[in-house]
Amino acid sequence: MTLSRVADSLYWMSRYLERAEHIARVVNVNLNLTLDRAPADAARHWGRLLGSLPAPPAFSVRVPDPLDDAAIDLANRESIAACVGAARENARQVREEISSEMWEKLNRVFLA
């Protein structure tokens, strides 16, 4: 494998992990803000959160809980789970170039 491919895979792995962390922080803050709100008001806040993502998912009856859409919906390529999956795929491509500890930790996050 060429050095440029390794660098590219490592770059995208880190970008996907960074994106997953950012989305997790935004979801956590929004969750804390909506705990004491009326359901209609909370739904409006979640709609704004999901609309702020780079590829906003359809906020509809399809996913009854907007938290699922932002966190674990694999159909949404901006969800935390999808970002971790993409990071793992990039790490898998350069498995022989990264440490065993890095691979194991990323695998643990992916499987969780």
Side-chain angles (χ1 to χ4, degrees), residues 63-91:
V63 178
D65 185 5
L67 184 57
D68 287 349
D69 208 6
I72 60 173
D73 183 17
L74 292 176
N76 174 10
R77 66 183 186 92
E78 297 297 327
S79 71
I80 297 167
C83 288
V84 170
R88 182 182 182 268
E89 178 58 28
N90 277 287

Side-chain angles (χ1 to χ4, degrees), residues 6-111:
V6 171
D8 187 60
S9 290
L10 291 175
Y11 171 79
W12 283 108
M13 178 190 71
S14 66
R15 288 290 294 152
Y16 282 123
L17 289 174
E18 185 179 331
R19 183 179 296 165
E21 179 186 14
H22 174 72
I23 293 169
R25 287 176 190 246
V26 169
V27 166
N28 184 36
V29 168
N30 198 60
L31 181 62
N32 287 331
L33 288 174
T34 58
L35 286 177
D36 295 333
R37 299 193 184 265
D41 195 28
R44 188 173 42 102
H45 280 273
W46 281 109
R48 276 193 267 164
L49 168 77
L50 295 176
S52 70
L53 296 176
F59 182 64
S60 65
V61 183
R62 180 181 61 82
V63 178
D65 185 5
L67 184 57
D68 287 349
D69 208 6
I72 60 173
D73 183 17
L74 292 176
N76 174 10
R77 66 183 186 92
E78 297 297 327
S79 71
I80 297 167
C83 288
V84 170
R88 182 182 182 268
E89 178 58 28
N90 277 287
R92 189 191 59 76
Q93 292 174 10
V94 292
R95 172 63 187 99
E96 61 278 349
E97 305 297 330
I98 61 176
S99 69
S100 295
E101 183 181 5
M102 177 186 279
W103 174 248
E104 288 172 10
K105 289 197 186 273
L106 187 53
N107 246 348
R108 229 177 266 138
V109 170
F110 175 76
L111 295 173

